[in-house]
Amino acid sequence: MKKSKIYIELCALVIALIALWQAITVIFDIPSYYLPSPVEFFTYFSQFLQTGKLASHISTTLYEVFIGTFWGIVVGMVLGYFIAKSKVLEHLLMPLLLIMQISPKISIAPLFILWFGLGLTSKVALVILVVSFPIMIAESSALKKINSGYTELMNIWHANKWQVFTRVELPCACHEVISGIKIAVTQAITSAVIGEMMGAKAGLGYLLTNGAEMYDLNMILSSIFLLSLLGLFLYEICQVVERKVLYWK
Amino acid sequence: MTMIEMKNISKSFTSTNGERIQAIKDVSLSVEKDEFISIIGPSGCGKSTLLRILSELQEYDSGEILFHDENLKDNLGFVFQDSVLLPWKSVYENIVMPLKIKHMETPETLAHVEELLDLMNLKEFRNSLPKELSGGMKQRTSIARSLSYNPKLLLMDEPFGALDAMTRDHLNLELRRLWKQTKKTILFVTHDIEEAVFLSTRVVVLSNRPSTIHDIVTIDLPEERTLELRDTPDFINYVSRLRGMLNEQS
Amino acid sequence: MNNLKKTITYTVISLTVFVLVWQLYISIFDVPAFILPSPVTVGKEMINQITQVSFYKNMLYTLSEVLLGFALSIVFGLLIGYFIGKHPHIKRLSMPLLVFFQVSPKIALIPIFIIWFGLGYGSKLFVVFIMSFFPIIESILLGLGNISKEMYEYMKILKANRIQILTQLEAPCCIPYILSSFKVGIIQAIIGATVAEWMAGQLGIGYLQSFASSTFNSPLLITGIAFTILLGILLYGGVTLLEHHFQRYQEVKQ
């Protein structure tokens, strides 16, 4: 199936859906606080974009997501490493980690807002929390599974801990860790948004609650539109990184 | 007694870039009861296609196929190259599955399944899952499964193609023994000439695409076939004759 | 059994250590009570809560939202997923849409649903539905896509009818994927329900936390969080048990 054909079909589908949307709002004479027509929405959106206010909301959420994801990955990998290496830590932390992993970590959001305030910090902390867990668990489980043959070789060559990590452990753990990262990243945006919905002064999630309070569906839709784009963008980045790093699979 | 009469069967395909490829053209073959017919030919010719047409997995463009009775058509056995066992069912459950589908589970048929398990040396593995089985055992299960509803005709599409030589030899012996004991009519597609000569009463040689029947060789070898037979001059003669025919094609 | 004992022992030990560290932290750093109350205070609040009827009302409200919404998403997810999976043209067209819906934070739809369906039960139900719906569809498409051509051909040889193909081949092949998606879906459902309740409404565990938060009642907030986590673990555990029941079908995931 040619790629260009798929794109054409996709564009046609999107256009058809937008046309359907327009038709529905017109035929059923739907009030714009309930569902604005596409025309109305895009006019609003471009105006909003031009005022520059939208840009600051976008950058707030982007900051939270990217900084949070970055540090989440770092924390996840560091802790994952230590958990794999220390039996004590593993027995102590693993049960808690697994409980936290399966529970809705978002529940902590109100606490973070209480502790870190309405600003960016609480959301970044939330994203770090959400992102670090899958990575921590993926890495510690991957490290433990590494073929002992590799580690024995390393021993024979008197490699130090850092060398063992970078040359054997990291590459072998890569596959599982990257899967963990993909899972974590998809949740990063959701976490940032939820954090903003629960208490914030800016950001795309904040726009959602603001729009809800004022029954301004245009504002809500703008936020949803941008968040979806962000989600798509992050997903594509992950795909590209995965392909580049795991070229040998 | 003629079981199947194929008259002037032709089949063409449209390839991915729109070309029309004539796979088989004007193939006529009659299959008698109790025969073991192997179909060999250069790769890419319609060996498998013929089998799939017979089993209605594929349609044909022209010609006709006459079955001796309707029941034959709806109840034939098929063994693929891949054993296609259901991974969550045990050996026994896999073999019994066709009976479930055909609503044929009776004390008689289940007793027959027990016989098949014995025949195919699967008794100890009846509760094993496919993942615990070797390639050879999986194919044995597949064969037993294809016989569970007692079809008169068995179609086999390169069933041993993915197995190692030793396993293949063992299974060839078992298949030959099975054939003689159960008195099935078997149509067997293979690319292995020796296998074809070892197992068959007749060997059909297909030509290159568009495949027609290049020749049909009757294998006049003793009923009892052992692996040592393969070193006898008669056997070797057949093999080189057939190889010669195949080499002409390329 | 031995393994289970071990796990439980370690879990109890870690939780105890966790509580001790917590107590130590607030003692050493003299943390104000409304920022982080002591374990004892929280414990007292928990006991206080579980002796009140209103608490159970809230828990049941949320639980019913989650279960009902999840059940709806299972029914529609399975039906629509199967339909899409069996029709290659439709599948090709809907794949990009499905991917798009999967990567966008569906949680953002909550305000819209509140505007459309009101502040009550209905909007929460819809949120739960949307959150768990898409993983289920994805799982069926994955499961069906994994079935080899030869399997279908073999069913054709046996002259199996549509229903037999569904029950004997397609359903067993999809089960492990569907159950995996349940694990993801049920947690998403809880998240959706709690956040939706936080945004609007007068009942539910999410509402309880929102109320606690706005009244700076930290012990209550932490209690709410703890019970939400407990709910998540219980439901997740339920699905895992289900998975064990269908352990045999895991073989499909080669």
Side-chain angles (χ1 to χ4, degrees), chain C residues 49-180:
Chain C
Q49 280 299 311
I50 58 180
T51 53
Q52 285 181 35
V53 180
S54 59
F55 176 73
Y56 293 102
K57 266 196 189 164
N58 283 321
M59 283 291 271
L60 242 72
Y61 187 79
T62 310
L63 187 64
S64 70
E65 277 167 19
V66 171
L67 290 179
L68 190 57
F70 194 65
L72 282 173
S73 67
I74 294 178
V75 169
F76 284 100
L78 290 182
L79 285 173
I80 297 180
Y82 186 71
F83 179 74
I84 296 181
K86 295 291 278 181
H87 295 93
H89 295 304
I90 300 185
K91 182 178 175 183
R92 225 179 56 212
L93 265 180
S94 21
M95 271 314 259
L97 272 182
L98 287 173
V99 170
F100 180 73
F101 278 116
Q102 267 299 80
V103 304
S104 18
K106 295 173 277 299
I107 204 91
L109 294 169
I110 290 184
I112 294 193
F113 288 165
I114 292 180
I115 292 183
W116 285 352
F117 304 120
L119 303 165
Y121 198 74
S123 51
K124 323 289 182 355
L125 205 62
F126 220 82
V127 170
V128 171
F129 174 77
I130 281 285
M131 300 283 285
S132 37
F133 178 70
F134 289 98
I136 294 180
I137 290 197
E138 206 187 316
S139 69
I140 297 202
L141 294 181
L142 207 60
L144 284 179
N146 237 15
I147 305 179
S148 69
K149 188 179 69 135
E150 278 93 8
M151 293 259 183
Y152 277 114
E153 286 182 339
Y154 191 67
M155 296 306 269
K156 204 170 169 194
I157 299 266
L158 295 180
K159 310 264 183 255
N161 62 39
R162 222 130 190 234
I163 304 209
Q164 284 174 320
I165 296 182
L166 176 60
T167 51
Q168 295 289 324
L169 177 65
E170 291 175 329
C173 281
C174 288
I175 285 181
Y177 296 98
I178 296 179
L179 288 176
S180 284

Side-chain angles (χ1 to χ4, degrees), chain B residues 101-128:
Chain B
I101 302 257
K102 292 174 181 282
H103 306 293
M104 276 169 74
E105 267 182 298
T106 66
E108 292 84 31
T109 52
L110 290 178
H112 180 236
V113 168
E114 297 295 330
E115 284 171 21
L116 283 171
L117 280 169
D118 238 334
L119 211 58
M120 302 300 294
N121 295 318
L122 290 170
K123 265 234 143 77
E124 304 147 35
F125 300 101
R126 61 187 298 142
N127 290 323
S128 308

Side-chain angles (χ1 to χ4, degrees), chain A residues 1 9-10 13 34 91-92 95-96 99 102-104 107 110 114-115 197 208-209 217 220 224 228 231-232 235, chain C residues 10 14-15 34-36 92-93 96 100 103-104 108 111-112 115-116 187 191 198-199 218 221 225 229 233 236:
Chain A
M1 183 89 300
E9 277 187 355
L10 194 57
L13 185 64
Y34 213 73
H91 282 140
L92 208 57
L96 283 179
I99 292 180
I102 59 182
S103 24
S107 318
L114 183 64
W115 295 343
M197 281 165 91
L208 287 172
T209 37
L217 232 92
I220 297 178
I224 294 178
S228 307
L232 206 62
Y235 176 76
Chain C
Y10 280 127
S14 358
L15 282 175
F34 80 92
I35 295 276
L36 183 60
R92 225 179 56 212
L93 265 180
F100 180 73
V103 304
S104 18
I112 294 193
I115 292 183
W116 285 352
I187 298 295
I191 294 178
W198 182 284
M199 294 285 113
S218 308
L221 180 62
I225 294 176
I229 293 182
I233 295 175
Y236 188 87

Side-chain angles (χ1 to χ4, degrees), chain A residues 110 114 198, chain C residues 198 207-218 221:
Chain A
L114 183 64
M198 290 195 167
Chain C
W198 182 284
Y207 164 72
L208 199 65
Q209 290 173 62
S210 154
F211 172 76
S213 170
S214 53
T215 54
F216 286 93
N217 186 346
S218 308
L221 180 62

